[in-house]
């Protein structure tokens, strides 16, 4: 009975929170449907591809739009606490606020990663079944594996970014709006406007199709893509944690 | 025990709590009174680390709330009955909070029965009435079987049966040696429950005293006499404050029945009625806060 409450207790509580309301289930279902459906259709529309990497990349197209759902899921995990008033109870129960945010972030990030892991397998399967590739498709192809790992990692980071935005802005509309602008609207808008600094800026914005085919945005290498989304996620999260500690509930 | 020292919370345009120093002792129910906007809720939020004070400190059991190792086992709090997600069931709401402090699952079942929400445990709290939401909030406060309770308006919205239940619950908790700080606007309820009072006015401490002291201070004696004017003069000479009631009886403050009876006897005056009037908390409280308002209105 003595001693500090173990961190896994807070983690378990946050996991229960996510499971016990409907919104995360809706978000997850839509994510699976959009990304899985788009992947299957894209693969179905591609009879042949020059390499397994290209076939995989095509099948993963849906992630470009699907990330929107992850932004909503991550933002809601935080903002619903404030809009419902639950934050009063949550922060009274766990007054070490950063601890609470770490637990919430871990739950969201792991959930995003698990959903995405399932989806990349579905997408590769779609390519394997529907797209003819010289030499055949294999999950063990390093190019394919790298694309899959990047997608799962980027999904987790998008979740972290969304949680951070939620903690900074506290409003669902504000945080979802900011998240969509960052990951969906600005990267292609800037890239399409064409100037060289706009393209640079576009490359410095987080996008779930790290590197690869950047969903209308200016492409980068995957290393740069991961670094960019990682930097945004960490920055938003740290700012969110600092503000959460400082502000009144 | 809750210790508040020099607590001040200033918002941009006003001061909600102004240099408040008070100690809430265990083993008794401390009633927290004050007009709307007098700083009661802000003080409670500062105690719970939800609001950061501009100056001063609030500690619970000797430590700032945010440094407590097991917050729910030390302090049970009800700040707002709407502090819940409408889409969760009562049971799920209690479970997520219990889990966050490693409170065992069976305690959830216990408190849900204790507050009488058993039949609706698996309904979404969105549809709950204010009274049911209050009961859920009280269930949350009791989850960790805490040493200290901080309850903001817990009887708000409760039915008469619920109010009586609440009164007995607070009594039992205090008798078990716990610290109970409870605010309410229902004066008759507070009079029946609290042992000690802390009264705020415009963010400042107006009174910190046992209930009986405040009531005694505003007690009076009513005397009916066929020689009322002679008796009034005799009483005034002896130092009492005397008023005439519309029915001709005298209203005496500053003396008890024994003193009034002695004055009448020594003056050789007849007395037909001699009654101790006990003040209600409501009138004593209104007199106290009224004094404060008048004091405020006088320019220095």
């Amino acid at each position: 009975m003595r001693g500090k409450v173990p961190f896994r207790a807070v983690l378990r509580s946050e996991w229960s929170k996510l499971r016990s309301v409907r919104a995360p289930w809706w978000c997850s279902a839509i994510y699976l449907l959009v990304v899985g459906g788009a992947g299957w259709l894209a693969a179905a529309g591609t009879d042949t591809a020059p390499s397994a990497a290209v076939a995989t990349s095509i099948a993963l197209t849906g992630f470009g739009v699907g990330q929107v759902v992850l932004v909503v899921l991550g933002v809601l995990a935080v903002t619903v606490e404030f809009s419902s008033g639950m934050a009063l109870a949550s922060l009274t129960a766990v007054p070490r606020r950063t601890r609470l945010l770490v637990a919430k972030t871990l739950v969201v990030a792991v959930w995003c990663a698990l959903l995405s892991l399932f989806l990349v397998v579905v997408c590769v399967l779609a390519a394997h079944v529907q797209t003819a590739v010289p030499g055949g498709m294999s999950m063990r192809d390093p190019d394919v594996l790298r694309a899959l790992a990047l997608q799962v990692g980027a999904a987790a980071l998008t979740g972290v970014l969304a949680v951070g935005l939620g903690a900074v802005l506290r409003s669902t509309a504000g945080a979802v709006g900011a998240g969509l602008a960052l990951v969906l609207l600005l990267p292609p808008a800037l890239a399409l406007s064409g100037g060289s600094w706009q393209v640079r800026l576009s490359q410095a914005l987080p996008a779930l199709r790290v590197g690869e085919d950047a969903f209308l945005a200016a492409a980068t290498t995957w290393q740069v893509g991961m670094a960019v989304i990682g930097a945004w996620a960490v920055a938003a999260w740290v700012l969110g944690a600092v503000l959460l500690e400082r502000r009144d509930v | 025990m809750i210790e508040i020292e020099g607590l001040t919370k200033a918002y941009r345009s006003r001061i909600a709590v102004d240099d408040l120093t008070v100690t809430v002792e265990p083993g008794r129910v401390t009633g927290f009174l004050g007009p709307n906007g007098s700083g009661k809720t802000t003080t409670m939020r500062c105690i719970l680390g939800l609001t950061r004070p501009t100056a001063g400190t609030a500690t619970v059991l000797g430590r700032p709330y945010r440094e407590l190792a097991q917050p729910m086992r030390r302090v049970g709090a009800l700040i707002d009955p709407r502090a819940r997600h409408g889409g969760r069931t009562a049971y799920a709401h209690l479970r997520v909070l219990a889990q966050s402090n490693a409170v065992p699952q069976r305690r959830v079942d216990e408190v849900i029965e204790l507050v009488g929400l058993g039949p609706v445990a698996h309904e979404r709290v969105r549809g709950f009435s204010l009274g049911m939401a209050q009961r859920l909030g009280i269930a949350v406060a009791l989850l960790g079987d805490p040493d200290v309770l901080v309850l903001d308006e817990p009887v708000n919205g409760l039915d008469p049966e619920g109010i009586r239940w609440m009164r007995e619950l607070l009594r039992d908790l205090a008798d078990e040696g716990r610290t109970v700080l409870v605010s309410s606007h229902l004066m008759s309820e507070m009079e029946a429950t609290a042992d000690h009072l802390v009264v705020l006015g415009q963010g400042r401490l107006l009174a910190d005293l046992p209930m009986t002291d405040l009531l005694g201070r505003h007690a009076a004696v009513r005397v009916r006499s066929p020689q009322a004017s002679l008796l009034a003069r005799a009483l005034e000479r002896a130092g009492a404050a005397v008023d005439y009631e519309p029915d001709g009886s005298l209203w005496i403050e500053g003396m008890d029945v024994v003193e009034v009876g002695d004055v009448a006897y020594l003056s050789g005056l007849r007395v037909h009625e001699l009654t101790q009037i006990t003040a209600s908390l409501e009138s004593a409280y209104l007199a106290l806060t009224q004094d404060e308002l008048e004091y405020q209105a006088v320019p220095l």
Side-chain angles (χ1 to χ4, degrees):
Chain A
M1 294 292 272
R2 295 281 141 192
K4 234 167 92 171
V5 175
F7 180 68
R8 78 186 122 75
V10 186
L11 211 54
R12 186 174 306 140
S13 163
E14 286 302 321
W15 171 231
S16 295
K17 268 188 198 171
L18 195 75
R19 279 186 314 149
S20 56
V21 291
R22 283 179 180 170
W25 293 114
W26 279 113
C27 288
S28 305
I30 293 169
Y31 184 56
L32 293 178
L33 209 65
V34 166
V35 179
W40 203 269
L41 288 176
T46 313
D47 293 335
T48 56
S51 71
V54 172
T56 307
S57 178
I58 290 168
L60 295 179
T61 305
F63 279 95
V65 188
Q67 63 188 345
V68 170
V69 190
L70 296 185
V71 168
V72 172
L73 189 142
V75 162
L76 276 181
V78 183
T79 57
V80 152
E81 293 256 359
F82 291 97
S83 62
S84 69
M86 181 71 190
L88 275 178
S90 297
L91 292 175
T92 306
V94 187
R96 291 158 203 253
R97 299 181 183 181
T98 302
R99 204 169 194 241
L100 185 79
L101 192 66
V102 169
K104 196 180 276 299
T105 309
L106 273 176
V107 166
V108 168
V110 168
W111 185 241
C112 289
L114 284 177
L115 288 177
S116 305
L117 185 64
F118 174 75
L119 279 172
V120 293
V121 172
V122 168
C123 290
V124 170
L125 204 63
H128 180 72
V129 173
Q130 302 179 97
T131 307
V133 173
M137 282 281 296
S138 165
M139 278 291 255
R140 280 187 291 276
D141 185 326
D143 283 347
V144 174
L145 273 179
R146 195 197 64 209
L148 301 191
L150 282 178
Q151 218 54 77
V152 172
L157 288 174
T158 302
V160 175
L161 171 66
V163 168
L165 288 174
V168 171
L169 296 168
R170 291 194 175 188
S171 122
T172 306
V176 167
L180 293 194
L182 279 177
V183 303
L184 189 73
L185 302 177
L186 287 178
L190 286 168
L192 293 175
S193 72
S196 69
W197 68 266
Q198 285 97 326
V199 171
R200 283 249 172 252
L201 196 58
S202 166
Q203 289 169 331
L205 290 172
L208 191 52
R209 296 300 323 275
V210 280
E212 305 305 322
D213 163 20
F215 191 60
L216 300 183
T220 57
T221 62
W222 68 265
Q223 291 91 337
V224 171
M226 279 305 266
V228 165
I229 193 171
W232 277 92
V234 168
W237 192 91
V238 167
L239 184 61
V242 169
L243 290 176
L244 186 65
E245 282 287 344
R246 294 217 173 155
R247 283 196 288 204
D248 293 344
V249 183
Chain B
M1 180 150 63
I2 304 169
E3 288 164 299
I4 297 170
E5 268 194 45
L7 188 76
T8 300
K9 177 66 182 181
Y11 291 104
R12 212 166 292 168
S13 57
R14 64 188 181 91
I15 294 180
V17 180
D18 190 1
D19 196 20
L20 177 66
T21 299
V22 69
T23 300
V24 184
E25 302 281 353
R28 65 193 189 192
V29 177
T30 301
F32 201 20
L33 303 180
N36 291 329
S38 59
K40 300 187 296 294
T41 301
T42 305
T43 303
M44 287 179 154
R45 293 173 68 120
C46 286
I47 293 170
L48 299 170
L50 294 168
T51 295
R52 193 177 287 267
T54 311
T57 57
T59 59
V60 189
L61 303 166
R63 312 188 71 177
Y65 185 83
R66 283 167 82 159
E67 290 173 18
L68 292 177
Q70 298 189 315
M72 287 181 100
R73 292 183 198 275
R74 299 282 88 86
V75 183
L78 168 64
I79 286 294
D80 188 340
R82 289 160 301 178
R84 78 280 196 283
H85 187 296
R88 274 193 199 101
T89 64
Y91 190 85
H93 178 68
L94 289 167
R95 195 187 52 208
V96 300
L97 291 170
Q99 284 175 334
S100 72
N101 275 248
V103 170
Q105 183 110 348
R106 71 185 138 71
R107 182 67 187 156
V108 173
D109 298 310
E110 279 171 26
V111 294
I112 235 170
E113 291 303 326
L114 183 65
V115 302
L117 287 178
V120 294
H122 295 283
E123 285 179 26
R124 288 176 199 280
V125 300
R126 185 179 289 127
F128 278 20
S129 68
L130 177 55
M132 289 156 82
Q134 285 285 16
R135 285 168 185 267
L136 183 61
I138 292 157
V140 171
L142 296 175
L143 262 180
D145 197 18
D147 308 315
V148 176
L149 283 123
V150 177
L151 308 172
D152 196 9
E153 302 274 353
V155 296
N156 214 3
L158 289 186
D159 52 22
E161 183 265 327
I163 292 178
R164 168 189 272 185
W165 167 77
M166 190 71 206
R167 185 193 306 152
E168 286 164 2
L169 177 71
L170 295 180
R171 186 74 270 143
D172 290 347
L173 291 168
D175 289 346
E176 288 164 16
R178 302 177 209 245
T179 305
V180 181
L181 178 65
V182 54
S183 77
S184 177
H185 284 119
L186 294 177
M187 288 299 151
S188 54
E189 190 42 46
M190 200 54 112
E191 191 173 344
T193 314
D195 310 303
H196 194 91
L197 294 174
V198 171
V199 187
L200 291 191
Q202 305 196 5
R204 285 182 300 149
L205 185 67
L206 292 189
D208 173 10
L209 77 187
M211 173 81 79
T212 48
D213 284 13
L214 179 66
L215 296 185
R217 191 191 283 179
H218 292 270
V221 176
R222 187 170 64 216
V223 187
R224 204 181 299 276
S225 165
Q227 298 158 296
S229 55
L230 289 173
L231 182 57
R233 246 173 286 151
L235 287 166
E236 276 168 346
R237 268 200 304 276
V242 182
D243 263 327
Y244 284 91
E245 292 288 281
D247 66 354
S249 64
L250 300 176
W251 183 270
I252 297 130
E253 288 178 18
M255 274 189 183
D256 61 19
V257 277
V258 175
E259 292 167 308
V260 173
D262 285 351
V263 168
Y265 175 76
L266 292 172
S267 315
L269 297 169
R270 286 188 286 158
V271 168
H272 290 170
E273 184 198 331
L274 182 58
T275 311
Q276 176 75 54
I277 308 290
T278 49
S280 69
L281 175 60
E282 182 171 80
S283 57
Y285 164 80
L286 286 175
L288 191 68
T289 49
Q290 192 61 38
D291 290 349
E292 166 71 1
L293 290 177
E294 280 164 12
Y295 173 76
Q296 284 290 312
V298 175
L300 291 172

